[in-house]
Amino acid sequence: MDPLTASLMAIGSGSAAGLRPYFTVLALGLAGLLIPDTAPQWLASTADQIPESITNPWVLGICAVLSIGEAGLDKIPFINLSMETVSVWLRPVFGALVGVGLGANSSVEVAVLTGLLGAGSALSVSLGKSSVTAASNVVPEPITQWVRSLIEDFGALILVLAAVLLPVLAALLGIAAIAIGFLLYRMFRKAYRALKQTFGNVSEGRQAASHVRASHQDPGQSPGAIHTLRQLAADPGQVD
């Protein structure tokens, strides 16, 4: 297969690995095993590009068990969030390995390129997925978790199918997923910094109020809230 097609497949499969890494390996491996040599040339050549290491029955069996477990646990509030601490960085590794395998039949240079494309695609999508998972746990009711997780399941399925059947479409969908993942990550970071600043200001305000009460309170006297607010407004320098 030419390097261009391998690169397009790496972007699509890498983006899928950013959502469901084990399922991506499983689906690609099954495609490599099930697509016959008598298939149309464009499809048979795509299947031939899938490395034998992915089509190994042991690899497929392990990935099948892990993909089922990942898809199930990802729908449980807070458990999915704890999984993200490791998975967010594990998914780009899978994207890189799949990318290297897709380009290995061409040359070392192509394998390095497809590996980088797979890792970069998976990283951006993975960061976006982790951001959405964290945000959805703010309201950890089951429906939100199931809807989010099912969307990711179908997204990974579509990306893998496109990588095998229509590499150009897979690359376009992958680039869209990369952009969306990056934007979601940026939005989450901004929201996180805003919340951190807000709660930090609240904490500082409480400390300032406590300081004012301590500095203006006579022994045995308990000032009221209005008195404290007046002291803060009249002499904010007291908090220093």
Side-chain angles (χ1 to χ4, degrees), residues 10 53 109 166 194 219 237:
S53 58
E109 292 78 9
L166 296 170

Side-chain angles (χ1 to χ4, degrees), residues 51-219:
E52 294 183 359
S53 58
I54 293 180
T55 60
N56 184 291
W58 282 102
V59 174
L60 295 180
I62 294 172
C63 286
V65 173
L66 292 176
S67 61
I68 293 173
E70 181 188 33
L73 293 176
D74 188 57
K75 297 172 177 61
I76 303 176
F78 298 114
I79 292 181
N80 53 25
L81 191 59
S82 63
M83 288 175 51
E84 287 298 321
T85 57
V86 176
S87 298
V88 64
W89 306 115
L90 184 63
R91 289 187 285 261
V93 174
F94 273 78
L97 293 176
V98 171
V100 169
L102 292 173
N105 291 340
S106 299
S107 66
V108 175
E109 292 78 9
V110 174
V112 172
L113 173 62
T114 53
L116 292 175
L117 290 174
S121 302
L123 177 61
S124 181
V125 176
S126 180
L127 290 174
K129 173 190 161 33
S130 295
S131 301
V132 174
T133 301
S136 65
N137 273 273
V138 176
V139 282
E141 42 84 19
I143 295 179
T144 299
Q145 301 297 323
W146 275 80
V147 171
R148 173 197 56 77
S149 185
L150 286 173
I151 291 174
E152 294 170 357
D153 292 337
F154 284 107
L157 175 61
I158 292 172
L159 285 167
V160 174
L161 288 177
V164 175
L165 300 176
L166 296 170
V168 175
L169 176 61
L172 294 176
L173 293 176
I175 292 172
I178 292 169
I180 293 172
F182 181 74
L183 290 175
L184 289 173
Y185 175 70
R186 289 289 303 274
M187 290 172 59
F188 176 79
R189 293 294 300 176
K190 288 182 179 179
Y192 175 77
R193 286 195 295 266
L195 287 173
K196 186 176 181 181
Q197 183 177 4
T198 299
F199 284 110
N201 292 338
V202 170
S203 177
E204 292 175 359
R206 288 178 178 175
Q207 293 178 1
S210 176
H211 182 82
V212 169
R213 285 196 300 269
S215 61
H216 291 83
Q217 181 178 346
D218 296 332

